[in-house]
Amino acid sequence: MKDFFIADAAKFDNDNVTSYFALSSLSVREKKQGGQYLALTLTDKTGTMEARMWDDIADALASCSEGCYVKVQGQVSKYQGKFQITLQKMRNAAESEIDPADYLPATLYNVDEMWAELRGYVSQFTNPDLERLVFAFLDDEAIASAFRTAPAAKRLHHAWLGGLLEHVVTLVRVCLATAPFYPEVNSDLLVTGAILHDIGKTRELHWKNSFGYTLEGQLIGHISIAQGMLLEKVKELAPFPEKLRVLVEHMILSHHGKYEFGSPKLPMTAEALLLNMLDDLEAKMQVLRNEFAAAEASGKSAGEMTEWVRSMDRPLLDSRSYLKD
């Protein structure tokens, strides 16, 4: 069974380890001096780690593929500021050697409590049409099951089981706290957008052995998937107010805020603009938490910047820890 986790890498710098991982990615690359090597991404519930296998790759390729569990032996070392494993051996792991709970990170919060909280917010709507629209999603057994377990992303933020629900509940809290400052905003409409904006991720992502994209997710994406899901529910609820349908659909289509970020439309209503801003803020704050935790795990002191955060185009500083130090 697994006794080395990726979060422990700093404790094993330059040590040889033997452990089990989910194989998230695998590619064959050409060596500069001739021959081939393997570039891999290994995953467990504490994170991901790059790995390289330079020699004797034929047996590993014959028995291992993306998405399977593997047993590896290799040396942990730091390369360009990040830990990785140079593998000497890798084989497919037997089912008896694997506890799935070791490989997929999960929310630290109670899913039943978050689900009840979310439904409670919808029950407080003053607009009955928006209430029945959102409950049409939450009462759909297939959608609800996926909503309660899906990650919010493959890597960037809330990338763990229950992450989508955790992200949405937190976003709704922030929306309800912020909306009273802006009388232009319809609170029920804003919360509806917050709950439904990422509903397409229940079909965009898969989360069996590791997190990744479904074929539908790769070809269509969660924004367009969510748009389709909305139109299906509106049809089931007919008659449904056309004005509300247009406004909710606009929030879904514009919630990424910019064309270059994947939004087919820019936010053009008060609710859409606020949803975009708060959704981006909530996601970035979770990225920040993730980076602070990774910096601490790698042995950085409180006064050091994190590694360069690609999604935010900057390094970060944990000011709270810095002031305490």
Side-chain angles (χ1 to χ4, degrees), residues 39-266:
L40 315 98
T41 304
L42 305 176
T43 303
D44 64 28
K45 68 180 182 180
T46 68
T48 62
M49 178 182 285
E50 297 300 311
R52 298 292 183 266
M53 190 169 187
W54 298 101
D55 301 300
D56 302 322
I57 67 173
D59 289 342
L61 276 175
S63 65
C64 305
S65 59
E66 287 187 11
C68 74
Y69 294 113
V70 293
K71 182 178 182 179
V72 306
Q73 183 180 53
Q75 184 181 42
V76 177
S77 60
K78 219 168 190 180
Y79 177 70
Q80 294 184 344
K82 294 184 178 181
F83 286 102
Q84 66 173 25
I85 302 182
T86 301
L87 302 183
Q88 288 86 46
K89 296 180 181 179
M90 180 175 72
R91 66 164 173 81
N92 194 39
E95 187 175 341
S96 60
E97 296 176 294
I98 298 300
D99 180 355
D102 288 337
Y103 300 91
L104 291 181
T107 179
L108 301 177
Y109 301 100
N110 184 289
V111 169
D112 290 335
E113 291 178 0
M114 288 193 293
W115 190 250
E117 181 181 345
L118 191 66
R119 293 181 64 90
Y121 293 134
V122 182
S123 297
Q124 295 171 18
F125 279 8
T126 59
N127 187 303
D129 290 306
L130 290 176
E131 181 178 359
R132 67 191 183 102
L133 173 63
V134 178
F135 274 134
F137 283 91
L138 302 187
D139 290 338
D140 184 309
E141 186 175 338
I143 293 175
S145 177
F147 200 165
R148 289 165 56 95
T149 57
K154 179 181 177 181
R155 285 182 182 171
L156 285 181
H157 72 92
H158 299 88
W160 47 76
L161 296 177
L164 177 59
L165 178 59
E166 182 183 333
H167 168 57
V168 167
V169 168
T170 305
L171 178 58
V172 171
R173 293 172 185 162
V174 176
C175 286
L176 289 172
T178 307
F181 293 100
Y182 302 101
E184 302 85 357
V185 170
N186 180 306
S187 181
D188 287 356
L189 189 58
L190 176 64
V191 172
T192 297
I195 294 173
L196 300 183
H197 77 291
D198 273 348
I199 197 72
K201 289 184 176 181
T202 60
R203 285 164 38 183
E204 180 186 47
L205 298 167
H206 69 74
W207 51 90
K208 186 178 179 182
N209 296 344
S210 60
F211 299 144
Y213 292 96
T214 63
L215 182 61
E216 182 183 22
Q218 290 178 313
L219 295 178
I220 301 175
H222 74 277
I223 292 178
S224 296
I225 293 171
Q227 181 186 24
M229 294 172 73
L230 173 68
L231 297 181
E232 289 172 6
K233 289 304 179 187
V234 165
K235 186 176 180 179
E236 292 173 10
L237 296 172
F240 187 85
E242 181 68 3
K243 290 182 179 180
L244 288 179
R245 191 273 301 169
V246 169
L247 291 172
V248 174
E249 191 170 352
H250 174 66
M251 284 190 288
I252 289 172
L253 293 176
S254 65
H255 79 267
H256 277 193
K258 295 182 179 180
Y259 297 131
E260 58 265 38
F261 295 162
S263 274
K265 299 301 291 184
L266 302 179

